[in-house]
Amino acid sequence: MNVDVILGLQWGDEGKGKIVDYLASQYDIVARFQGGPNAGHTLKFDGKKHVLHTIPSGIFRKNLINLIGNGVVIDPITLAKEIQNLIDANVDYKDRLLVARKAHLILPTHRYLDAVSEAAKGKEKIGSTLKGIGPTYMDKTGRNGLRVGDIMADDFKEKYQTLRAKHLSLVQVYPPFEGFDLAAEEAKWFESLEVLRSLKKVDGEYFINQAINDNKKILAEGAQGSMLDIDFGTYPYVTSSNTVTAGVCNGLGIAPSKIGEVIGITKAYCTRVGGGPFPTELFDDTGDFLRKEGMEFGATTGRPRRCGWIDLPQLKYTIMLNGVTQLVITKIDVLNKFESISAATHYHYDGANHEQLPYDLTAKKIEPVLKGFPGWLSSLDAVEEYDDLPATAKSFIAALEDRLGVPASMISTGPERHKLIMKSTQAVH
Ligand code: GDP
Ligand code: IMO
Ligand code: MG
């Protein structure tokens, strides 16, 4: 099996970027398969921080191909900014960054529509990143979208104008909205389109299958988290793509039989940004302390993230959906100053304890049943070997593995690339 998968098991921001960047050197290709610039993947090495939104997190590793797959939606404006950041960082990306022709384009009017529809939702708003994700995927499934491959065609401008006109008539359905400068955004968009034109395009499905036949190793990089999956997440408080393992097949053109390891990432606690249910959310000082210690502010929007304890029924659900073969537990260092830590083992609703998530997490009054664990009250900075972790940290990890039924292969103890402890030799291959 040539294709391994890294994805988030919670509501996003689990630390996918860091782990992909770390493991990338073991692969020939890193490929994004879904989502768009709603993602913010943070990498830290050599004293510098890099945030990627569209470009796969393998881009900083030499000799490695990075593919933006057909399942991704691309905003040329964000992509051009990311390319500029690579140029500024002296990264030679020209022959290593490929874009699938079947990836869909985010138009300025998609962002306009995202803004007007969110504003109209009032209190029910999803908390979208307003990057135009929902409207772009709607046009994709509605069979109206524009794709990367279209930008070279003679009639591209006409197709653009047709879609733009449709969007502007849709905008009229919503209450009047100030605050979107369409002319300025379009000018930027067309300027940035030239950057996209200059990048290497491929028929992603042929490219990746050829690579598989040539025995190349591929790492598929997820964006968002499984609880934001369009089918299985906390609908309607989700994103508009399939963030689970199945999305790799559609988003890259890979057969399910080619998938090997599924590396599921979870924080040692839990966060969510935007609206929607979050059973273990903490509204007290403990939640504030987690936010402060974890520096939990969105990598894309800068919004404070909602914080709570790790949620085992939720993780069992996403492990089941994804076929996770190994866990990576990140941000364990954020718990260093906690005298005790909790994990939700069950949900209490309808008068009983349940391990299964109800149909609609919003409709039920869910009380998480918490189990406490002693903390370690020490820094993990100097710890490089699993055995050298404090005993209480090891028993917390062992309890998670035991209850989740999947072994942890790596434990992340800081944002930097090398703050990662290998737990088992089974880490990846
Ligand atoms: P992603 O969207 O899953 O790639 O995650 P984000 O980059 O949005 O958010 C994760 C944040 O946690 C980033 O600021 C990372 O630099 C940081 N991070 C990743 N792993 C660790 C870790 O083990 N400990 C700490 N303290 N921070 C981490
Ligand atoms: P990464 O890849 C965390 C959330 C938004 C909002 C909902 C829908 O960095 O983990 P959208 O813009 O898709 O219409 O927003 O999904 N969301 C994320 N939350 N991390 C992300 O990506 C997210 N991408 C979208 O906050 O609640
Ligand atoms: Mg993120």
Side-chain angles (χ1 to χ4, degrees):
M1 258 91 69
N2 307 59
V3 186
D4 293 339
V5 183
I6 285 200
L7 41 73
L9 296 178
Q10 298 167 312
W11 279 277
D13 305 324
E14 297 88 350
K16 299 175 287 292
K18 170 189 161 155
I19 305 301
V20 171
D21 166 64
Y22 182 87
L23 292 177
S25 57
Q26 301 184 22
Y27 291 87
D28 300 298
I29 300 172
V30 174
R32 272 279 303 270
F33 59 92
Q34 46 69 233
N38 46 350
H41 297 175
T42 315
L43 284 52
K44 257 186 157 176
F45 53 87
D46 299 340
K48 292 208 180 83
K49 177 172 135 173
H50 305 269
V51 181
L52 296 164
H53 302 285
T54 325
I55 295 175
S57 300
I59 199 69
F60 295 99
R61 298 291 200 169
K62 288 196 173 62
N63 303 325
L64 189 118
I65 300 288
N66 288 261
L67 172 69
I68 302 175
N70 59 278
V72 176
V73 291
I74 299 175
D75 187 333
I77 300 180
T78 320
L79 183 59
K81 281 189 202 144
E82 288 179 71
I83 297 282
Q84 189 55 50
N85 291 342
L86 294 182
I87 295 169
D88 294 346
N90 268 324
V91 176
D92 172 23
Y93 65 90
K94 285 237 161 80
D95 293 322
R96 300 195 299 112
L97 181 62
L98 308 179
V99 186
R101 291 195 178 88
K102 292 191 173 77
H104 278 246
L105 293 172
I106 302 176
L107 271 53
T109 40
H110 282 129
R111 281 194 289 127
Y112 193 8
L113 274 172
D114 216 357
V116 294
S117 74
E118 271 284 271
K121 283 197 165 114
K123 258 179 41 193
E124 306 293 304
K125 76 173 184 204
I126 289 164
S128 164
T129 60
L130 303 178
K131 302 293 179 190
I133 305 296
T136 306
Y137 279 112
M138 275 165 73
D139 273 334
K140 175 178 178 174
T141 50
R143 298 166 293 182
N144 294 308
L146 286 178
R147 303 186 290 179
V148 168
D150 296 330
I151 63 179
M152 298 304 185
D154 294 338
D155 61 352
F156 177 69
K157 269 266 165 78
E158 281 161 47
K159 282 184 170 163
Y160 176 91
Q161 290 301 339
T162 308
L163 192 52
R164 174 191 197 270
K166 188 191 129 195
H167 291 163
L168 291 183
S169 61
L170 276 173
V171 164
Q172 302 305 316
V173 170
Y174 295 97
F177 181 86
E178 303 292 326
F180 193 85
D181 187 345
L182 183 56
E185 294 301 326
E186 282 190 309
K188 263 193 272 173
W189 196 85
F190 278 102
E191 198 182 305
S192 304
L193 200 60
E194 295 310 313
V195 177
L196 179 55
R197 274 190 219 280
S198 74
L199 299 180
K200 281 201 167 174
K201 323 287 187 306
V202 287
D203 293 317
E205 62 280 34
Y206 279 111
F207 172 81
I208 208 103
N209 281 290
Q210 185 63 51
I212 291 173
N213 291 339
D214 293 344
N215 231 356
K216 303 273 191 233
K217 290 203 174 89
I218 298 155
L219 181 61
E221 174 180 7
Q224 289 78 56
S226 304
M227 293 306 285
L228 291 170
D229 181 271
I230 182 71
D231 281 281
F232 300 108
T234 43
Y235 194 88
Y237 299 96
V238 292
T239 190
S240 297
S241 61
N242 281 114
T243 60
V244 294
T245 307
V248 175
C249 298
N250 296 328
L252 293 174
I254 285 174
S257 56
K258 306 293 183 204
I259 292 178
E261 293 295 316
V262 178
I263 304 160
I265 310 198
T266 173
K267 286 180 190 175
Y269 51 100
C270 192
T271 64
R272 172 164 206 172
V273 57
F278 179 3
T280 60
E281 182 167 13
L282 293 163
F283 299 94
D284 55 7
D285 292 350
T286 312
D288 291 341
F289 193 52
L290 275 173
R291 188 174 310 106
K292 183 171 153 278
E293 291 294 297
M295 292 196 270
E296 294 294 357
F297 296 89
T300 297
T301 59
R303 291 177 291 178
R305 295 177 183 146
R306 300 155 63 191
C307 296
W309 296 122
I310 195 166
D311 179 340
L312 302 181
Q314 178 271 301
L315 284 173
K316 279 186 182 168
Y317 176 66
T318 55
I319 287 168
M320 169 186 83
L321 292 169
N322 288 305
V324 173
T325 58
Q326 44 181 300
L327 290 172
V328 177
I329 302 172
T330 58
K331 305 193 85 159
I332 190 137
D333 55 300
V334 172
L335 303 176
N336 286 353
K337 295 180 187 157
F338 284 75
E339 221 161 287
S340 71
I341 301 156
S342 295
T345 59
H346 295 82
Y347 286 178
H348 188 85
Y349 59 85
D350 294 345
N353 287 350
H354 301 266
E355 278 197 275
Q356 199 167 321
L357 272 57
Y359 164 68
D360 182 354
L361 266 68
T362 337
K364 298 268 180 208
K365 173 96 190 77
I366 296 170
E367 288 294 333
V369 179
L370 297 177
K371 178 173 167 43
F373 296 86
W376 40 94
L377 293 173
S378 61
S379 162
L380 304 180
D381 269 354
V383 181
E384 286 178 11
E385 302 288 331
Y386 187 75
D387 283 345
D388 298 334
L389 278 171
T392 43
K394 280 189 282 197
S395 41
F396 179 56
I397 293 164
L400 298 181
E401 289 178 303
D402 187 42
R403 286 172 182 265
L404 296 172
V406 187
S409 53
M410 287 172 270
I411 311 294
S412 178
T413 56
E416 297 81 14
R417 186 185 269 170
H418 290 289
K419 286 264 170 83
L420 197 60
I421 297 173
M422 296 301 129
K423 176 162 180 291
S424 68
T425 46
Q426 163 239 356
V428 190
H429 296 291

